[in-house]
Amino acid sequence: IDWKVTARTRRPHTRIYSEERNHPALLLIDQRVNMFFGSQLNMKSVTAAHAAALVLWRILAQGDQPGAIVFNDDEQIEIRPARSDMRAMSILRAIEKMNRSLRANDGRRSVPAQLNRILRHADRLATHDHLVVLISDLDGLDEETRPLLNRITQHNDVIVLLVNDPLERD
């Protein structure tokens, strides 16, 4: 009820608000070499890819704009937020490309500092009112990570999906 209009017109007046759409979302999908591990159903990298796909289609269904940074130990693929099925498919192709590049015993070493690099980059990209979804096993979590996440959280919504494996946890 809008009380000011009701008092002025002496008739009940209500306003209906609809939820805002077209908020940008930024998915941070970890495909580093430490994600190439799995003791049960899937590798952690595959689980992260499945979770990213579910989140991506949900974001589109809500009318928001998905974007992503898909990263491994060496590189990152950045896809800016836009509301289209084509953009969603390009995000999924980037995840697939990074996932297929993972190999056992290829000599590639894990770079734990990459997590903080990606979070710093996400902080620059997600300036205000973004949904930031980090899908990772959080390898490389250190004393710098929490302040980075807090800085991103000041103006954005942040969701962290932790991907882990029971054998690795034990």
Side-chain angles (χ1 to χ4, degrees), residues 18-163:
S18 60
E19 187 178 352
E20 291 183 35
R21 300 277 187 219
N22 289 326
H23 285 289
L26 185 63
L27 280 70
L28 310 174
I29 302 119
D30 188 352
Q31 293 290 299
R32 295 177 293 163
V33 73
N34 54 297
M35 296 287 284
F36 194 64
F37 179 80
S39 65
Q40 296 201 354
L41 183 62
N42 289 328
M43 299 286 195
K44 293 190 298 182
S45 60
V46 173
T47 301
H50 287 173
L54 290 171
V55 170
L56 176 66
W57 293 117
R58 182 66 188 144
I59 289 168
L60 272 176
Q62 283 183 239
D64 292 336
Q65 306 171 16
I69 300 174
V70 184
F71 63 98
N72 63 19
D73 297 289
D74 310 317
E75 63 180 311
Q76 66 189 37
I77 299 173
E78 179 184 327
I79 301 165
R80 297 285 179 152
R83 186 171 182 254
S84 74
D85 290 346
M86 297 282 285
R87 185 60 50 103
M89 292 308 294
S90 64
I91 292 170
L92 293 175
R93 279 191 293 276
I95 295 169
E96 178 191 18
K97 177 185 176 222
M98 291 282 189
N99 193 280
R100 288 186 183 269
S101 71
L102 290 171
R103 301 271 183 266
N105 301 323
D106 72 348
R108 200 182 324 178
R109 294 185 148 290
S110 178
V111 181
Q114 183 74 337
L115 178 65
N116 289 338
R117 282 188 211 124
I118 294 300
L119 289 174
R120 281 191 294 275
H121 187 62
D123 185 36
R124 288 189 298 273
L125 290 178
T127 55
H128 190 61
D129 284 339
H130 279 65
L131 170 63
V132 178
V133 181
L134 172 62
I135 305 171
S136 175
D137 66 353
L138 299 179
D139 181 53
L141 188 74
D142 61 16
E143 63 277 347
E144 183 186 1
T145 309
R146 181 179 215 116
L148 282 169
L149 284 170
N150 286 339
R151 192 165 53 226
I152 295 170
T153 305
Q154 287 176 352
H155 300 288
N156 303 290
D157 294 324
V158 176
I159 298 172
V160 178
L161 299 177
L162 177 64
V163 180

